[in-house]
């Protein structure tokens, strides 16, 4: 039996439309998910600004309730609350069998269905679903971006007494900061070009905050003898300055990327060589670590009240995007909730 739902689609430049979509009964490997909430991600802005040549469904930071499960789906059942991996390892290929599941993306993914997270319901491969029963949906909805922050922190190999600089105080930067705070007895410092979110960074345990509109990033390490670790969520153009903020033997881990010319960056290899500095890319694809992320969200180690700054009903998705694009000072994570569930989830 098919299910009729309202679903949003995006086309460049930021053209959002709603339509009624017929979802067929799930295939044996699929689940039908009633969406409780879906976060807006930086990638959704890229879809709206550069990627969606044709109107397409979108929204990948999803929490929902399984309503139907195909016969081959064993680990989740109807009634389970789940979050979705944005991509998954297959568990069968040579990379997976050699223990490098982090390098495999071959499992069926959630992208390209008739609806995605900005809808009342969606189909997803059962493989993508991670159980999140008993967790506040507004916390669980952060699982996927929180997994991105977990990957950064792991790639950085933060030592017990490392001094850490977190560049960028968006949702992922703030979540990485909360984790770094628990990981080191050293100093944790947040740097951001607008001050609004630095207040949040302080509440999450930052020892100091730096307003990058006043102090250049390259100078940030000076009072600390250079940082041991820099976690950067800022655009790639800032990476040379992040390397300057590192001390001898320092490591910069970054997630920022640019689809265009901004991806090209030059930096001083001599000072890197003599300073024994490293630059490491973190890319949480496949989306591993969601159970760890859920545990931290559930236990308030990563407090959702500090990360989710705005909630909107699905019918006001256009407004949610406008806010996200225009108010960089206040917006951390914007979460969108189907209208019929808004009071229940956001209340
Ligand atoms: Zn995301
Ligand atoms: Zn594999």
């Amino acid at each position: 039996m098919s299910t009729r739902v309202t679903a949003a689609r995006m086309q460049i430049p930021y053209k959002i439309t709603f339509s009624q979509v017929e979802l067929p009964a799930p295939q044996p490997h699929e689940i039908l998910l009633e969406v409780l909430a879906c976060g807006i991600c930086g990638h959704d802005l890229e879809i709206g600004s550069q990627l969606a040549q044709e109107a397409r469904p979108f929204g990948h930071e999803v929490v929902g309730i399984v309503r139907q499960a195909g016969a081959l789906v064993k680990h989740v059942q109807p009634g389970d609350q789940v979050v979705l991996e944005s991509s998954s390892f297959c568990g069968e290929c040579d990379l997976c069998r050699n223990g490098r599941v982090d390098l495999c993306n071959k499992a069926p993914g959630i992208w390209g269905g008739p609806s995605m997270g900005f809808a009342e319901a969606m189909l997803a491969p059962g493989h993508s679903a991670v159980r999140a029963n008993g967790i506040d949906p507004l916390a669980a909805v952060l699982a996927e971006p929180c997994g991105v922050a977990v990957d950064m922190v792991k790639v950085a190999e933060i030592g017990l007494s490392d001094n850490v600089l977190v560049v960028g105080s968006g949702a992922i930067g703030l979540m990485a900061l909360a984790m770094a705070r628990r990981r080191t007895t050293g100093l944790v410092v947040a740097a951001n070009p607008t001050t609004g979110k630095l207040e949040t960074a302080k509440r999450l345990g930052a020892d100091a905050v730096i307003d990058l509109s006043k102090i250049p990033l390259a100078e940030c390490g000076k009072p600390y003898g250079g940082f041991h670790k820099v976690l950067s969520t800022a655009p790639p153009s800032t990476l040379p300055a992040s390397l300057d903020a590192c001390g001898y033997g320092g490591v910069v881990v970054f997630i920022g990327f640019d689809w265009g010319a901004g991806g090209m960056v030059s930096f001083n290899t001599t000072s890197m060589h003599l300073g024994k500095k490293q630059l490491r890319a973190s890319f949480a694809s496949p989306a591993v670590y969601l159970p760890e992320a859920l545990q931290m969200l559930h236990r308030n180690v990563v407090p959702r009240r500090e990360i989710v700054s705005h909630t909107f009903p699905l019918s006001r998705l256009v407004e949610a995007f406008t806010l996200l694009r225009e108010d960089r000072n206040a917006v951390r994570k914007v979460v969108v909730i189907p209208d019929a569930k808004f009071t229940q989830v956001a209340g």
Side-chain angles (χ1 to χ4, degrees):
M1 204 181 71
S2 68
T3 310
R4 199 173 166 80
V5 300
T6 300
R9 294 196 296 174
M10 171 72 94
Q11 183 174 13
I12 55 171
Y14 296 112
K15 204 176 130 218
I16 292 169
T17 49
F18 292 94
S19 51
Q20 294 292 306
V21 172
E22 230 29 87
L23 299 181
Q27 297 288 311
H29 72 284
E30 284 181 329
I31 55 174
L32 173 69
L33 193 65
E34 185 182 316
V35 175
L36 290 178
C38 181
I40 303 182
C41 173
H43 185 59
D44 296 316
L45 292 175
E46 288 163 356
I47 291 173
S49 63
Q50 301 172 63
L51 301 179
Q53 300 293 334
E54 317 224 313
R56 61 185 242 197
F58 67 126
H60 61 276
E61 300 182 357
V62 185
V63 58
I65 305 286
V66 178
R67 286 302 171 210
Q68 292 176 45
L72 298 177
V73 179
K74 303 290 182 203
H75 72 298
V76 295
Q77 270 125 42
D80 277 335
Q81 176 172 288
V82 299
V83 297
L84 298 181
E85 293 175 342
S86 49
S87 64
S88 307
F89 63 84
C90 75
E92 292 170 359
C93 72
D94 286 355
L95 283 167
C96 285
R97 290 178 192 281
N98 282 331
R100 292 305 306 271
V101 298
D102 59 308
L103 299 180
C104 168
N105 262 312
K106 290 191 270 292
I110 63 174
W111 302 88
S115 63
M116 286 184 58
F118 297 123
E120 293 168 320
M122 65 182 285
L123 292 167
H127 204 98
S128 318
V130 178
R131 282 158 58 104
N133 287 327
I135 303 178
D136 173 0
L138 276 191
V141 74
L142 295 171
E144 194 267 348
C146 188
V148 173
V150 173
D151 192 75
M152 281 190 89
V153 168
K154 286 185 190 257
V155 170
E157 298 179 295
I158 296 171
L160 293 175
S161 60
D162 279 354
N163 292 336
V164 179
L165 174 68
V166 181
V167 182
S169 302
I172 292 172
L174 290 169
M175 290 193 275
L177 184 142
M179 291 174 215
R181 174 69 290 160
R182 296 290 185 118
R183 193 111 172 181
T184 178
T185 57
L187 296 172
V188 178
V189 178
N192 198 59
T194 57
T195 53
K197 290 184 263 196
L198 289 174
E199 291 304 313
T200 311
K202 280 187 207 162
R203 289 196 296 275
L204 291 172
D207 296 290
V209 296
I210 297 169
D211 178 352
L212 290 175
S213 67
K214 301 211 170 81
I215 298 172
L217 177 55
E219 310 280 311
C220 287
K222 287 206 172 131
Y224 309 98
F227 288 97
H228 298 103
K229 302 285 157 62
V230 175
L231 308 183
S232 172
T233 65
S237 59
T238 63
L239 289 174
S242 280
L243 282 162
D244 289 340
C246 276
Y248 190 56
V251 174
V252 175
V253 176
F254 71 99
I255 58 163
F257 66 102
D258 187 304
W259 296 92
M264 297 298 290
V265 177
S266 46
F267 50 87
N268 187 329
T269 56
T270 308
S271 71
M272 253 181 105
H273 176 84
L274 297 176
K276 296 194 175 185
K277 295 180 185 181
Q278 295 178 36
L279 183 59
R280 300 181 187 170
S282 157
F283 181 34
S285 175
V288 288
Y289 310 132
L290 264 57
E292 272 186 324
L294 283 166
Q295 170 152 330
M296 285 187 287
L297 290 159
H298 187 46
R299 297 186 60 190
N300 222 31
V301 170
V302 177
R304 70 97 166 148
R305 284 177 196 284
E306 298 290 3
I307 308 299
V308 177
S309 55
H310 298 79
T311 51
F312 282 88
L314 180 61
S315 59
R316 289 171 57 201
L317 188 60
V318 174
E319 260 176 85
F321 267 82
T322 306
L323 174 83
L324 192 60
R325 289 166 59 203
E326 289 177 358
D327 193 354
R328 291 262 165 193
N329 194 35
V331 179
R332 299 183 294 277
K333 177 60 76 180
V334 179
V335 172
V336 175
I337 301 163
D339 291 50
K341 302 201 174 57
F342 189 77
T343 317
Q344 172 203 335
V345 174

